[in-house]
Amino acid sequence: MRPTAPLILAATLAATAGLTSCGGGSGSDPDTVKVAYNRSTDNKIRFKDHHLAEVKKQFEKANPGKKVKLIPIQAQDNDYATKVQQMMRSPKTAPDLVYEDTFRINSDIKAGYLRPLDAYLAKWKTWDQFVDTAKTAAKAEDGKTYGVPDGTDTRGLWFNKEIFAKAGLPADWSPKNWNEILEAARTIKKKVPGVTPLNVYTGKAPGETSVMQGFEMLLYGTGEAGGNPLYDPGAKKWVTGGKGFTDALDFLKTVYSEKLGPDISDALDPNVGTTVYSEWLPQGKLAIALDGSWLGQNWLKTGGKPWPEWSKTLGQAPMPTQHGQAPGKVSMSGGWTWAITAKSKNPDLAWKFIQQLQTKDNAVTWDIVDAQIAVRKDVAQDPKYTSSMPGITFFTGLVKNTHYRPTTPVYPQVSTAIGEAMEAATTGDSSPEKAAKSYDDQLKSIADGATVAAGGQG
Amino acid sequence: MATATKVAAAPTETPARPGPRRGRPLRWLPLAPATVMLLLFLGGPIAYCVYIAFTNMQLTGASSTDFVGLDNFQRAFGDDDFRNAVVLTLVFTLLSSLVGQNTLGLALAALMQRASRPVRTLTGSVVIAAWVVPEIVAGFLLYAFFRREGTLNALLDWLGLPSQNWLYTLPILAVSFANVWRGTAFSMLVYSAALSEIPKEITEAAEVDGAGGLGRFWHITLPMIRRSIGTNLMLNTLQTLSVFGLIWAMTRGGPGNRSQTLPVFMYDQAFNKSLIGYGTAVALLLLLVGALFSVVYLRLMKEEV
């Protein structure tokens, strides 16, 4: 019999189809739960990996025949998010469980990547232990909850008491307004040459690190738009850059043009966050750092950069509001959640793994090793947690005056636009006013015109 | 799959020599797997890309994808950042490929022709070593070379010259230099081969006629390797247009957008801003830029001297 064209084609097609399906490493094995998480880009830091490996062991012991496949993704936060979003697009590559930053979760919910957990949560007693703000962290616009948070964080000022002593500044420093921060930095610049007085993250490359630790810590302290300077939840509209916005950019411009901050090229380096805790602070090269509550984890014996003297050397102070207006302090909070993907083939098993992650012991251990601020009442009262780290009580205390970022799907895009405005103002490529103006233009296109002018100066 | 049948069956319509009918279906049998593979893995994705460029697909933050016609292209032409990226891409291509790699590659090849064997081997292996290093590794190496506390400034300090902050002040120059450093080997190899093809008699005859070194080069060598120059320029330009890893590792397109060439801009739009549709549209425009360059070179190569 003569092979005819269609026959040959069919045969080749069958062969190639066979070829394609054996790649991908999909394996939707009903007994395996696949867990994607972000691994630190610092090779010395592996406490998340160790903790998850430990929970995996417990889980496999408690559920004979079930397996956990950990998928570490070693990347910067932005790149990690991109990678996971691509994995979640296809059922072949979608993990069952992903570690999601609360600031991206709404965007991913809208894209249909995640599944609601309400049915599971209704039957889960432990959920009552979570504080209300944490419960809403992963609540979408549709009122359903899509993630279980495992901790939160706050932000404030870290300062080096030894450098302060040299500059004649008090060891119990607590600035009352922005100006006092700048004054302290100027004093240090004069009296302690060779030291960077103040680090405020800025620019595009550090990503959300700049936007949240740098810009929003300033913006939310201006009291603009009744305390909602970015997004008006009542009107469901984004707020265009008003006076507070330009003031915050102006603060950055002051820091970098007066050379009170690090060299601009260092500030715009994507790895600057790592440099701050692994080099500048331990080596006494940086006096004041506007940074997160978690820094201490790196200096523990188990951390990536052990530094036993850190708790004696460094002090903490709350970030003040712009002119010291009530409540006087400001902080931003974020945090991460565990979410189950929409294309997961084993949602029930994935849920079981979340429960394993959230046994009280595991939750306490995790908040300690990751230097997170507890989001569960029982964890927050646990003596192991309260005594785990110098400064943890200070940072837990900031929760009272903290702000959360707008939980809307387009926030990540807005964040990118803010990063660009920061970079333009910091490098002097454009004035703060002009940078705010180009932010407004971008915002209108991101929010499809759903914007509202900030009070006072539109 | 109809297309596959048509493409694959095309040769049977114009048989090279009339053969027995029995052989015809079998004649394209060896080609069938390759054809199907190409259609599946190359044609498919390309067609899909073209389709995406006309939609508002997003990586995250949108629940649906709609067809939006030419919106993405209109947006690109009205986008300052896109224009900036086009200019920088042209600067990067001209500096590092046309001027840098090409001239340096030709100069090296010409000099090596006259050099002794050990010198030739040494130079060749150093230059080629830079080329075989993976792009991302080269990117980090050059980042370490150019950064403020990097090797270059250490050298300048040692020579008593003021240190520079290239990656911040002139990032596009720094990445262009990096690309020259990395890509010169390719031009050097092409030109070495071309130069060795020139018959000795001709150069000797020119020498007897009293042509100097430069005169010989200008009147004899260049015209004789014209085709190689064209081919090399084309390959070089297309490679340079799509350089991403090198720039990403060195500057991430920053500071601001002062080294954001089209591939970096594309990545930024598609993956940082999640606008897959817009990013893909920009990719198609980049393809056009490459095609334009190619057409110009092909025309140049066609002309007879």
Side-chain angles (χ1 to χ4, degrees):
Chain A
M1 197 182 136
R2 223 173 43 219
T4 49
L7 242 170
I8 297 170
L9 264 181
T12 2
L13 265 181
T16 44
L19 277 176
T20 46
S21 65
C22 70
S26 59
S28 55
D29 169 9
D31 293 329
T32 305
V33 58
K34 290 180 296 185
V35 183
Y37 68 97
N38 52 336
R39 171 179 275 178
S40 169
T41 49
D42 184 339
N43 283 327
K44 296 203 275 303
I45 294 182
R46 286 293 172 266
F47 40 78
K48 191 184 292 170
D49 308 66
H50 297 324
H51 179 76
L52 286 171
E54 179 54 36
V55 177
K56 164 186 155 99
K57 225 175 8 199
Q58 295 169 9
F59 180 85
E60 287 174 353
K61 202 166 151 188
N63 302 284
K66 307 289 182 205
K67 287 235 165 345
V68 178
K69 185 174 172 213
L70 296 175
I71 308 171
I73 295 166
Q74 188 170 359
Q76 304 272 359
D77 282 353
N78 280 353
D79 300 340
Y80 165 74
T82 303
K83 168 88 182 165
V84 170
Q85 281 155 358
Q86 287 175 331
M87 287 166 82
M88 290 191 292
R89 283 180 88 84
S90 150
K92 262 196 168 47
T93 52
D96 299 302
L97 207 54
V98 282
Y99 201 40
E100 281 260 350
D101 194 333
T102 45
F103 107 86
R104 296 188 191 277
I105 197 162
N106 277 281
S107 186
D108 286 351
I109 294 166
K110 174 113 193 212
Y113 291 148
L114 304 174
R115 67 174 65 205
L117 305 175
D118 299 66
Y120 296 117
L121 293 170
K123 297 195 211 110
W124 192 41
K125 277 206 180 57
T126 315
W127 193 233
D128 302 337
Q129 291 288 354
F130 285 74
V131 294
D132 289 341
T133 44
K135 283 184 178 176
T136 54
K139 205 176 218 162
E141 288 166 319
D142 63 4
K144 294 183 180 139
T145 305
Y146 287 79
V148 175
D150 61 2
T152 184
D153 45 40
T154 52
R155 284 148 182 78
L157 294 161
W158 296 78
F159 62 96
N160 185 316
K161 294 180 196 166
E162 290 169 5
I163 300 175
F164 267 51
K166 280 187 204 153
L169 292 164
D172 59 353
W173 182 65
S174 184
K176 296 285 166 288
N177 51 45
W178 288 3
N179 212 24
E180 287 187 21
I181 302 175
L182 293 173
E183 280 311 318
R186 286 175 191 134
T187 309
I188 292 160
K189 185 177 163 70
K190 251 203 311 277
K191 298 196 174 164
V192 195
V195 164
T196 304
L198 167 67
N199 179 54
V200 182
Y201 292 114
T202 186
K204 290 187 303 186
E208 186 64 6
T209 302
S210 313
V211 175
M212 195 174 181
Q213 264 97 275
F215 187 79
E216 288 169 356
M217 286 293 286
L218 295 162
L219 180 69
Y220 277 78
T222 60
E224 177 118 326
N228 289 314
L230 278 179
Y231 179 74
D232 181 343
K236 296 214 161 164
K237 285 186 173 159
W238 287 88
V239 181
T240 50
K243 186 172 181 315
F245 199 96
T246 35
D247 285 354
L249 290 178
D250 202 51
F251 182 92
L252 287 167
K253 190 182 146 197
T254 308
V255 169
Y256 286 93
S257 64
E258 288 188 26
K259 303 246 185 294
L260 301 172
D263 186 275
I264 294 191
S265 58
D266 290 334
L268 299 180
D269 187 312
N271 300 313
V272 62
T274 309
T275 317
V276 167
Y277 69 73
S278 65
E279 292 173 28
W280 294 346
L281 281 169
Q283 293 167 6
K285 288 183 182 165
L286 174 64
I288 310 167
L290 177 54
D291 219 312
S293 51
W294 58 86
L295 282 198
Q297 72 182 342
N298 303 297
W299 304 317
L300 300 175
K301 273 204 227 64
T302 49
K305 176 82 199 170
W307 179 28
E309 303 80 25
W310 73 273
S311 52
K312 286 204 272 307
T313 311
L314 297 181
Q316 294 108 10
M319 177 72 186
T321 47
Q322 185 177 8
H323 307 293
Q325 66 269 49
K329 318 171 189 174
V330 61
S331 171
M332 298 294 301
S333 286
W336 289 70
T337 62
W338 285 104
I340 301 178
T341 58
K343 295 196 158 85
S344 160
K345 298 210 175 56
N346 306 326
D348 296 344
L349 203 59
W351 173 251
K352 263 196 167 155
F353 191 73
I354 291 185
Q355 286 176 300
Q356 190 72 44
L357 284 162
Q358 286 296 337
T359 62
K360 183 170 174 238
D361 284 350
N362 283 342
V364 169
T365 310
W366 173 243
D367 281 346
I368 292 171
V369 295
D370 201 41
Q372 297 239 29
I373 306 295
V375 288
R376 280 172 53 168
K377 297 166 211 160
D378 53 351
V379 175
Q381 289 157 5
D382 192 282
K384 276 212 292 289
Y385 166 78
T386 49
S387 64
S388 64
M389 177 107 64
I392 197 145
T393 22
F394 165 81
F395 280 111
T396 309
L398 293 179
V399 173
K400 285 199 298 292
N401 304 108
T402 201
H403 299 265
Y404 293 88
R405 291 161 294 183
T407 53
T408 71
V410 294
Y411 176 76
Q413 290 175 43
V414 175
S415 160
T416 309
I418 293 175
E420 285 173 11
M422 291 173 86
E423 186 142 326
T426 308
T427 55
D429 282 0
S430 45
S431 68
E433 290 73 22
K434 191 168 164 251
K437 168 92 186 56
S438 75
Y439 166 76
D440 289 354
D441 295 345
Q442 280 205 53
L443 190 65
K444 285 184 182 111
S445 105
I446 294 168
D448 276 338
T451 56
V452 54
Q457 317 226 343
Chain B
M1 270 346 296
T3 39
T5 327
K6 221 189 277 176
V7 172
T12 59
E13 290 162 21
T14 51
R17 53 170 205 276
R21 272 193 64 85
R22 241 176 341 144
R24 275 195 206 165
L26 287 176
R27 184 179 304 165
W28 59 268
L29 176 63
L31 281 177
T35 314
V36 173
M37 285 275 202
L38 277 175
L39 282 171
L40 264 181
F41 295 110
L42 205 66
I46 289 173
Y48 184 57
C49 267
V50 173
Y51 160 73
I52 289 177
F54 293 91
T55 67
N56 62 357
M57 184 184 282
Q58 290 198 19
L59 184 59
T60 178
S63 45
S64 63
T65 300
D66 312 306
F67 190 79
V68 292
L70 291 169
D71 273 12
N72 288 327
F73 297 92
Q74 276 170 346
R75 177 183 179 154
F77 291 117
D79 185 342
D80 289 343
D81 288 346
F82 173 76
R83 280 199 286 269
N84 167 68
V86 172
V87 171
L88 285 176
T89 306
L90 294 176
V91 169
F92 181 67
T93 308
L94 287 173
L95 271 183
S96 66
S97 150
L98 292 179
V99 180
Q101 292 182 10
N102 221 333
T103 335
L104 192 61
L106 183 51
L108 278 172
L111 289 172
M112 274 167 67
Q113 271 217 302
R114 319 181 131 252
S116 61
R117 182 174 285 274
V119 172
R120 212 175 0 200
T121 319
L122 186 73
T123 321
S125 41
V126 168
V127 177
I128 288 169
W131 185 47
V132 295
V133 168
E135 190 178 41
I136 195 84
V137 177
F140 280 118
L141 278 175
L142 285 145
Y143 165 78
F145 177 74
F146 277 113
R147 61 186 284 232
R148 214 164 39 93
E149 293 101 13
T151 328
L152 175 65
N153 282 336
L155 281 173
L156 289 173
D157 269 352
W158 186 69
L159 294 169
L161 296 167
S163 68
Q164 301 293 331
N165 195 350
W166 294 107
L167 287 176
Y168 180 70
T169 45
L170 282 169
I172 193 71
L173 266 188
V175 293
S176 299
F177 176 86
N179 193 40
V180 172
W181 180 84
R182 189 168 174 264
T184 300
F186 182 79
S187 303
M188 190 184 80
L189 291 174
V190 171
Y191 288 132
S192 292
L195 291 176
S196 61
E197 293 287 297
I198 297 177
K200 272 214 171 53
E201 298 79 19
I202 298 182
T203 26
E204 278 166 9
E207 221 167 332
V208 172
D209 288 345
L214 271 178
R216 280 204 307 276
F217 185 76
W218 187 253
H219 292 291
I220 309 282
T221 315
L222 279 184
M224 295 208 62
I225 59 167
R226 202 170 47 87
R227 275 173 194 286
S228 302
I229 295 178
T231 313
N232 184 48
L233 278 177
M234 176 138 86
L235 289 171
N236 239 329
T237 307
L238 294 179
Q239 274 167 359
T240 305
L241 277 179
S242 60
V243 166
F244 170 80
L246 197 67
I247 301 179
W248 188 252
M250 284 177 73
T251 66
R252 292 211 165 197
N257 50 13
R258 278 180 261 161
S259 60
Q260 200 174 45
T261 58
L262 276 172
V264 180
F265 175 75
M266 215 162 76
Y267 179 91
D268 184 57
Q269 294 295 334
F271 298 122
N272 284 343
K273 299 200 171 94
S274 304
L275 304 171
I276 301 258
Y278 184 43
T280 314
V282 173
L284 286 188
L285 291 169
L286 177 65
L287 200 68
L288 274 181
V289 175
L292 279 177
F293 270 105
S294 306
V295 167
V296 172
Y297 293 141
L298 285 172
R299 294 299 297 265
L300 286 178
M301 280 160 69
K302 263 208 189 112
E303 284 172 24
E304 285 306 321
V305 185

